[in-house]
Amino acid sequence: MTRAEKPHLVSLVPAVARPFQGAPAGIASRVAAAIVDMILVVVILLAGYACVAALMFLSHPRSFSFPSPPASVSGSIASFGAMLYLSVSWAATGRTFGDRLLGLRVITRAGGRVHTIRAVLRAMTYVLVPVGLIWVPISRHNRSIQDIVFRTSVVYDWE
Amino acid sequence: MHDKRTKRMVAIVANSDDQAPARTEIDGLDLATGLIGLVVDPLARVARPMVHLATPLRHRLDRVLVPLGERGRHDREVLVEHLNEVADLLLPRVVAATLARLDLTQLLRDNVDLDVLATDIIESIDLPEIVRVSSASVSSETVQGVRIQAVEADKAIARVVDRVLLRRTARSPSPIDTEVDESPG
């Protein structure tokens, strides 16, 4: 194929990011993205709590008091919310809001998008055992324990 | 043998030094200059009267040649002016007539590899970067800064861990690997 016949692909990646575009992301970026996601989930849960409280107030204004579910219930709801958010984000676009902000993307070892079941299982393990990220700086391929189990990678993707 | 000769030469030099009254050092350059002067002086002495003889002749020639040169320069300027007028009058008509008879687009298509030219231009100007820079907002610049800092932190942490684990080879630059080994070392 001559040069003239070759299709001209225009890269959308900024010049500064081209050297490491597609390379496995390190622990700092991933933890930063996780913190952003955590804050976002907390905000969403608080907004949900406020909505529930408002509905309760509207239905029984006189006997209203702020709902105070037991720790196990609120913990379960928070975990479920985080899991739902992570799995939907990974399965739909390959990146959460935190990933987008930090320029990261979750991919399979083959380089494709993570499918729903794998995304759900990965999200569950991240919510239950977030310390799996500790393996990232130790791994030669910057993989967390979850990445090794579910055969995924997190790469820099600034597109 | 050599020692005897050396001693004799030292003795001669010593004697000559004693006898010579304050002999000055002679430099090679000075010597050469003196020789040149020796040759040039007679020549100059011969040439000087000839120059004196030629001077009135030169003045006489100047009186003829200078006005001639000035007239020539004036004529040349007038000629150039006329030629410019003619060129201004003719060239646009000639070019217009030529262009009217040529299909420039077809000529370009036939003789220029436009794909290669266009690719070269696009590659050289880095169009996406220009679009990005021109449309980049302050927030996206901030995001880019945060990302860069995160990448730098990633590298720094990886370096420290690699040093602690005494790794000699670099980390894998690609997420797609053929290895199964996930051992830390």
Side-chain angles (χ1 to χ4, degrees), chain B residues 115-151:
Chain B
D115 286 344
V116 172
L117 195 66
T119 309
D120 283 349
I121 291 168
I122 289 168
E123 278 177 3
S124 63
I125 62 175
D126 196 359
L127 200 58
E129 194 63 21
I130 290 170
V131 172
R132 193 177 301 107
V133 168
S134 59
S135 61
S137 60
V138 177
S139 60
S140 69
E141 280 174 16
T142 311
V143 168
Q144 194 161 313
V146 170
R147 286 176 177 182
I148 287 285
Q149 281 187 343
V151 172

Side-chain angles (χ1 to χ4, degrees), chain A residues 41-42 44-50 52 67-86 127-128:
Chain A
V41 169
V42 167
I44 291 169
L45 289 173
L46 283 177
Y49 177 82
V52 170
S68 55
S72 59
V73 173
S74 54
S76 301
I77 292 170
S79 301
F80 180 75
M83 209 181 66
L84 190 71
Y85 164 75
L86 291 175
V127 171
L128 295 174

